[in-house]
Amino acid sequence: MPSKLLSHRLTRRSFLAGLGAAAALPVLAACQPQVVEKEKIVERVVTQVVEKQVEKVVEKVVTAVPPKAPETVTVSFGTGGAPWLFQMWDRVYNQFEQEFPKIKVDRKYDPSSDWYKVYNKISSGSAEDVILMNDDALFYLSAAGAMTILDDYVKRDLKREDYFDRAWKVRNAPGGEIGALHYGGRVRVTWYNKKLFDDAGIKPATDWVTDNWNIDKWEENMVKLTKKSGERVDQYGAGIIACIAYTWFPNLGLSWWNEDETVSQVNHPDFVALCERIVGWHTKQQIAVRVGENQLALFNAGKLPMYQGFMHDALSFSKDIQWGAMPYMKIKVDPVLSFMEDDTYAIPSSSKVRDQAWVLSKYNVSEKAQWEFGKSDFLVPSLKKVTESPQYLDGNPFGYAGVTRKIWMQAYVYAWKQTTNNPMGEEMARSMCREDGQMVSGQVPVKTYLDTAAQRLTKYSRDNQWNKKNDTPGWRLPGVPKDAGKP
């Protein structure tokens, strides 16, 4: 999940050093209440007339002591976000506590959270029992034994077919093991200003599959929408999504790695050419917003016709803007793959209440909670029953009548299906997203940047002793027990 939340590198040495002896990670079994039997000797004297003798009979009576009523268990829940998001979680967990009165949710909301804080909590053993986890690092942290492997819980309590495949196949633990639950995804779409489109005589794309712009049409319309006064740009044609490498590379149909995932291919010639074209929009042509400018502010000021942003950006739109939502541009892969952030919540292996933490996490993929997510337009729910329903699809995001949620559901379904699950996910996000502003701004030539990124990723694969053949259930980083993370 590439995000501004993380600016620090995650390395095997630093993380395992924080964990201490990784081999000593606790594997905790849940303690269930037991029915304990006690022997109680009750002596009763019974007088019997048998040949004028009095016999003393001692009866042995075994009584069962009823189980002690379980006390309330507290499960901590940690997440970052904004106040409106915390209000949504409160609605979900107020409902949860009514249904599960023996579990209290200690809500640890942190509006200033970042991934570095999360990693520190995990490595120190102080992480919440259920925690928002960076999906880029999920494979690595699971391989380090820091995440609870949830397969047994899922097999017992959930039906995989009830959820979109993305929930199980995208960025998980080694060998397809489940290191976290994906509650849904915060998709990105192209937001556009209806008035500015109408003024330029441009008709928006309406569907990810049947009515979308290709890259040539996108560039043509950007030129139409750009307004200049001499050398000065009064209105850019569009704001292009950050993480252009993360977004557009998969749409060329290319693979990040060679077959055994030991050599990075992010400097593929076709990708170099595509990046040079997109960088040219920002530099030579000046039809795309410069790196570092606030695209949302420009959009709200009526000075930006379209930009690519998250679904919840609409919460911040000015009431004076008549807006719409449409797909990304199509490059080669059809339908175009979108880019999104999977909301991944894990149970750290340090939790001492993992069974109860699972009850809480499982509730978040239940129909009730998934509907709350859907109605709040926080994310596209992973539960098919909710997301594919007419009630959801025909609903208007944030009550705005100009858009339906269909465009978001398509973005979720056609989102980039990240199949490269390996320990380099976090390093990939750093190279191909968080730092690519150096390339997009023109500060570093495209080929130089991508060649350097490919060398760094290849070295990172080697440092982690990685090979695709290692992607099997139970694979762990060197020095980590094979059963680390098992409940």
Side-chain angles (χ1 to χ4, degrees), residues 154-168:
V154 170
K155 183 178 180 180
R156 184 189 69 193
D157 296 341
L158 298 176
K159 295 180 179 179
R160 291 194 184 205
E161 61 270 21
D162 290 344
Y163 301 84
F164 290 101
D165 284 348
R166 185 178 186 86
W168 313 114

PDB file of all heavy atoms in Angstrom, residues 154-168:
ATOM      1  N   VAL A 154      -9.714 -18.947   9.146  1.00  0.00           N
ATOM      2  CA  VAL A 154     -10.502 -18.708   7.929  1.00  0.00           C
ATOM      3  C   VAL A 154     -11.197 -19.987   7.475  1.00  0.00           C
ATOM      4  O   VAL A 154     -12.392 -19.980   7.132  1.00  0.00           O
ATOM      5  CB  VAL A 154      -9.602 -18.153   6.805  1.00  0.00           C
ATOM      6  CG1 VAL A 154     -10.335 -18.132   5.472  1.00  0.00           C
ATOM      7  CG2 VAL A 154      -9.113 -16.748   7.162  1.00  0.00           C
ATOM      8  N   LYS A 155     -10.465 -21.079   7.486  1.00  0.00           N
ATOM      9  CA  LYS A 155     -11.046 -22.359   7.062  1.00  0.00           C
ATOM     10  C   LYS A 155     -12.219 -22.748   7.942  1.00  0.00           C
ATOM     11  O   LYS A 155     -13.225 -23.295   7.462  1.00  0.00           O
ATOM     12  CB  LYS A 155      -9.963 -23.444   7.109  1.00  0.00           C
ATOM     13  CG  LYS A 155     -10.439 -24.800   6.608  1.00  0.00           C
ATOM     14  CD  LYS A 155      -9.300 -25.820   6.623  1.00  0.00           C
ATOM     15  CE  LYS A 155      -9.764 -27.175   6.117  1.00  0.00           C
ATOM     16  NZ  LYS A 155      -8.655 -28.179   6.137  1.00  0.00           N
ATOM     17  N   ARG A 156     -12.135 -22.432   9.224  1.00  0.00           N
ATOM     18  CA  ARG A 156     -13.190 -22.809  10.168  1.00  0.00           C
ATOM     19  C   ARG A 156     -14.418 -21.904  10.073  1.00  0.00           C
ATOM     20  O   ARG A 156     -15.546 -22.385  10.169  1.00  0.00           O
ATOM     21  CB  ARG A 156     -12.619 -22.742  11.591  1.00  0.00           C
ATOM     22  CG  ARG A 156     -13.573 -23.199  12.689  1.00  0.00           C
ATOM     23  CD  ARG A 156     -13.000 -22.887  14.053  1.00  0.00           C
ATOM     24  NE  ARG A 156     -12.961 -21.447  14.317  1.00  0.00           N
ATOM     25  CZ  ARG A 156     -12.287 -20.904  15.326  1.00  0.00           C
ATOM     26  NH1 ARG A 156     -11.559 -21.671  16.134  1.00  0.00           N
ATOM     27  NH2 ARG A 156     -12.312 -19.599  15.506  1.00  0.00           N
ATOM     28  N   ASP A 157     -14.191 -20.604   9.850  1.00  0.00           N
ATOM     29  CA  ASP A 157     -15.275 -19.639  10.050  1.00  0.00           C
ATOM     30  C   ASP A 157     -15.768 -18.909   8.805  1.00  0.00           C
ATOM     31  O   ASP A 157     -16.845 -18.299   8.846  1.00  0.00           O
ATOM     32  CB  ASP A 157     -14.823 -18.577  11.063  1.00  0.00           C
ATOM     33  CG  ASP A 157     -14.560 -19.153  12.441  1.00  0.00           C
ATOM     34  OD1 ASP A 157     -15.061 -20.262  12.726  1.00  0.00           O
ATOM     35  OD2 ASP A 157     -13.845 -18.509  13.233  1.00  0.00           O
ATOM     36  N   LEU A 158     -15.004 -18.912   7.727  1.00  0.00           N
ATOM     37  CA  LEU A 158     -15.382 -18.115   6.557  1.00  0.00           C
ATOM     38  C   LEU A 158     -15.429 -18.982   5.297  1.00  0.00           C
ATOM     39  O   LEU A 158     -14.809 -20.048   5.250  1.00  0.00           O
ATOM     40  CB  LEU A 158     -14.384 -16.973   6.349  1.00  0.00           C
ATOM     41  CG  LEU A 158     -14.260 -15.934   7.467  1.00  0.00           C
ATOM     42  CD1 LEU A 158     -13.149 -14.938   7.137  1.00  0.00           C
ATOM     43  CD2 LEU A 158     -15.572 -15.210   7.698  1.00  0.00           C
ATOM     44  N   LYS A 159     -16.140 -18.501   4.303  1.00  0.00           N
ATOM     45  CA  LYS A 159     -16.167 -19.136   2.992  1.00  0.00           C
ATOM     46  C   LYS A 159     -15.468 -18.204   2.009  1.00  0.00           C
ATOM     47  O   LYS A 159     -15.944 -17.106   1.730  1.00  0.00           O
ATOM     48  CB  LYS A 159     -17.605 -19.395   2.533  1.00  0.00           C
ATOM     49  CG  LYS A 159     -18.355 -20.400   3.386  1.00  0.00           C
ATOM     50  CD  LYS A 159     -19.772 -20.609   2.855  1.00  0.00           C
ATOM     51  CE  LYS A 159     -20.523 -21.634   3.697  1.00  0.00           C
ATOM     52  NZ  LYS A 159     -21.918 -21.821   3.204  1.00  0.00           N
ATOM     53  N   ARG A 160     -14.358 -18.640   1.485  1.00  0.00           N
ATOM     54  CA  ARG A 160     -13.567 -17.768   0.615  1.00  0.00           C
ATOM     55  C   ARG A 160     -14.358 -17.292  -0.591  1.00  0.00           C
ATOM     56  O   ARG A 160     -14.171 -16.165  -1.055  1.00  0.00           O
ATOM     57  CB  ARG A 160     -12.305 -18.502   0.146  1.00  0.00           C
ATOM     58  CG  ARG A 160     -11.297 -18.762   1.241  1.00  0.00           C
ATOM     59  CD  ARG A 160      -9.977 -19.157   0.637  1.00  0.00           C
ATOM     60  NE  ARG A 160      -8.984 -19.512   1.648  1.00  0.00           N
ATOM     61  CZ  ARG A 160      -7.679 -19.439   1.453  1.00  0.00           C
ATOM     62  NH1 ARG A 160      -7.213 -19.013   0.293  1.00  0.00           N
ATOM     63  NH2 ARG A 160      -6.826 -19.769   2.401  1.00  0.00           N
ATOM     64  N   GLU A 161     -15.212 -18.159  -1.109  1.00  0.00           N
ATOM     65  CA  GLU A 161     -15.953 -17.791  -2.321  1.00  0.00           C
ATOM     66  C   GLU A 161     -16.936 -16.657  -2.090  1.00  0.00           C
ATOM     67  O   GLU A 161     -17.461 -16.079  -3.056  1.00  0.00           O
ATOM     68  CB  GLU A 161     -16.685 -19.012  -2.888  1.00  0.00           C
ATOM     69  CG  GLU A 161     -17.720 -19.637  -1.970  1.00  0.00           C
ATOM     70  CD  GLU A 161     -17.169 -20.714  -1.057  1.00  0.00           C
ATOM     71  OE1 GLU A 161     -15.934 -20.731  -0.835  1.00  0.00           O
ATOM     72  OE2 GLU A 161     -17.970 -21.543  -0.572  1.00  0.00           O
ATOM     73  N   ASP A 162     -17.213 -16.320  -0.843  1.00  0.00           N
ATOM     74  CA  ASP A 162     -18.114 -15.203  -0.551  1.00  0.00           C
ATOM     75  C   ASP A 162     -17.450 -13.852  -0.800  1.00  0.00           C
ATOM     76  O   ASP A 162     -18.126 -12.819  -0.820  1.00  0.00           O
ATOM     77  CB  ASP A 162     -18.581 -15.252   0.908  1.00  0.00           C
ATOM     78  CG  ASP A 162     -19.538 -16.401   1.177  1.00  0.00           C
ATOM     79  OD1 ASP A 162     -20.068 -16.974   0.199  1.00  0.00           O
ATOM     80  OD2 ASP A 162     -19.762 -16.721   2.361  1.00  0.00           O
ATOM     81  N   TYR A 163     -16.139 -13.863  -1.000  1.00  0.00           N
ATOM     82  CA  TYR A 163     -15.377 -12.619  -1.123  1.00  0.00           C
ATOM     83  C   TYR A 163     -14.686 -12.562  -2.481  1.00  0.00           C
ATOM     84  O   TYR A 163     -14.454 -13.581  -3.129  1.00  0.00           O
ATOM     85  CB  TYR A 163     -14.341 -12.524   0.002  1.00  0.00           C
ATOM     86  CG  TYR A 163     -14.968 -12.565   1.370  1.00  0.00           C
ATOM     87  CD1 TYR A 163     -15.276 -13.783   1.982  1.00  0.00           C
ATOM     88  CD2 TYR A 163     -15.307 -11.394   2.038  1.00  0.00           C
ATOM     89  CE1 TYR A 163     -15.890 -13.832   3.219  1.00  0.00           C
ATOM     90  CE2 TYR A 163     -15.924 -11.433   3.281  1.00  0.00           C
ATOM     91  CZ  TYR A 163     -16.217 -12.655   3.861  1.00  0.00           C
ATOM     92  OH  TYR A 163     -16.839 -12.703   5.088  1.00  0.00           O
ATOM     93  N   PHE A 164     -14.355 -11.364  -2.912  1.00  0.00           N
ATOM     94  CA  PHE A 164     -13.601 -11.216  -4.149  1.00  0.00           C
ATOM     95  C   PHE A 164     -12.237 -11.868  -3.988  1.00  0.00           C
ATOM     96  O   PHE A 164     -11.633 -11.840  -2.903  1.00  0.00           O
ATOM     97  CB  PHE A 164     -13.435  -9.732  -4.506  1.00  0.00           C
ATOM     98  CG  PHE A 164     -14.712  -9.070  -4.937  1.00  0.00           C
ATOM     99  CD1 PHE A 164     -15.420  -8.267  -4.066  1.00  0.00           C
ATOM    100  CD2 PHE A 164     -15.214  -9.264  -6.222  1.00  0.00           C
ATOM    101  CE1 PHE A 164     -16.605  -7.653  -4.456  1.00  0.00           C
ATOM    102  CE2 PHE A 164     -16.394  -8.655  -6.616  1.00  0.00           C
ATOM    103  CZ  PHE A 164     -17.096  -7.855  -5.734  1.00  0.00           C
ATOM    104  N   ASP A 165     -11.732 -12.451  -5.078  1.00  0.00           N
ATOM    105  CA  ASP A 165     -10.445 -13.160  -5.029  1.00  0.00           C
ATOM    106  C   ASP A 165      -9.331 -12.291  -4.459  1.00  0.00           C
ATOM    107  O   ASP A 165      -8.396 -12.794  -3.826  1.00  0.00           O
ATOM    108  CB  ASP A 165     -10.039 -13.624  -6.430  1.00  0.00           C
ATOM    109  CG  ASP A 165     -10.825 -14.837  -6.880  1.00  0.00           C
ATOM    110  OD1 ASP A 165     -11.499 -15.448  -6.032  1.00  0.00           O
ATOM    111  OD2 ASP A 165     -10.775 -15.174  -8.076  1.00  0.00           O
ATOM    112  N   ARG A 166      -9.437 -11.005  -4.712  1.00  0.00           N
ATOM    113  CA  ARG A 166      -8.399 -10.088  -4.247  1.00  0.00           C
ATOM    114  C   ARG A 166      -8.154 -10.221  -2.741  1.00  0.00           C
ATOM    115  O   ARG A 166      -7.034 -10.037  -2.263  1.00  0.00           O
ATOM    116  CB  ARG A 166      -8.812  -8.663  -4.584  1.00  0.00           C
ATOM    117  CG  ARG A 166      -7.765  -7.633  -4.255  1.00  0.00           C
ATOM    118  CD  ARG A 166      -8.193  -6.227  -4.639  1.00  0.00           C
ATOM    119  NE  ARG A 166      -7.082  -5.307  -4.421  1.00  0.00           N
ATOM    120  CZ  ARG A 166      -6.129  -5.072  -5.294  1.00  0.00           C
ATOM    121  NH1 ARG A 166      -6.176  -5.668  -6.476  1.00  0.00           N
ATOM    122  NH2 ARG A 166      -5.143  -4.245  -5.023  1.00  0.00           N
ATOM    123  N   ALA A 167      -9.209 -10.539  -2.010  1.00  0.00           N
ATOM    124  CA  ALA A 167      -9.092 -10.619  -0.555  1.00  0.00           C
ATOM    125  C   ALA A 167      -8.106 -11.695  -0.109  1.00  0.00           C
ATOM    126  O   ALA A 167      -7.542 -11.617   0.984  1.00  0.00           O
ATOM    127  CB  ALA A 167     -10.464 -10.892   0.063  1.00  0.00           C
ATOM    128  N   TRP A 168      -7.883 -12.704  -0.955  1.00  0.00           N
ATOM    129  CA  TRP A 168      -7.030 -13.823  -0.549  1.00  0.00           C
ATOM    130  C   TRP A 168      -5.724 -13.894  -1.332  1.00  0.00           C
ATOM    131  O   TRP A 168      -4.749 -14.466  -0.851  1.00  0.00           O
ATOM    132  CB  TRP A 168      -7.779 -15.147  -0.757  1.00  0.00           C
ATOM    133  CG  TRP A 168      -9.164 -15.128  -0.219  1.00  0.00           C
ATOM    134  CD1 TRP A 168     -10.329 -15.201  -0.929  1.00  0.00           C
ATOM    135  CD2 TRP A 168      -9.556 -15.002   1.157  1.00  0.00           C
ATOM    136  NE1 TRP A 168     -11.413 -15.134  -0.092  1.00  0.00           N
ATOM    137  CE2 TRP A 168     -10.971 -15.014   1.197  1.00  0.00           C
ATOM    138  CE3 TRP A 168      -8.850 -14.879   2.361  1.00  0.00           C
ATOM    139  CZ2 TRP A 168     -11.684 -14.906   2.381  1.00  0.00           C
ATOM    140  CZ3 TRP A 168      -9.562 -14.766   3.531  1.00  0.00           C
ATOM    141  CH2 TRP A 168     -10.962 -14.787   3.543  1.00  0.00           C
TER     142      TRP A 168
END
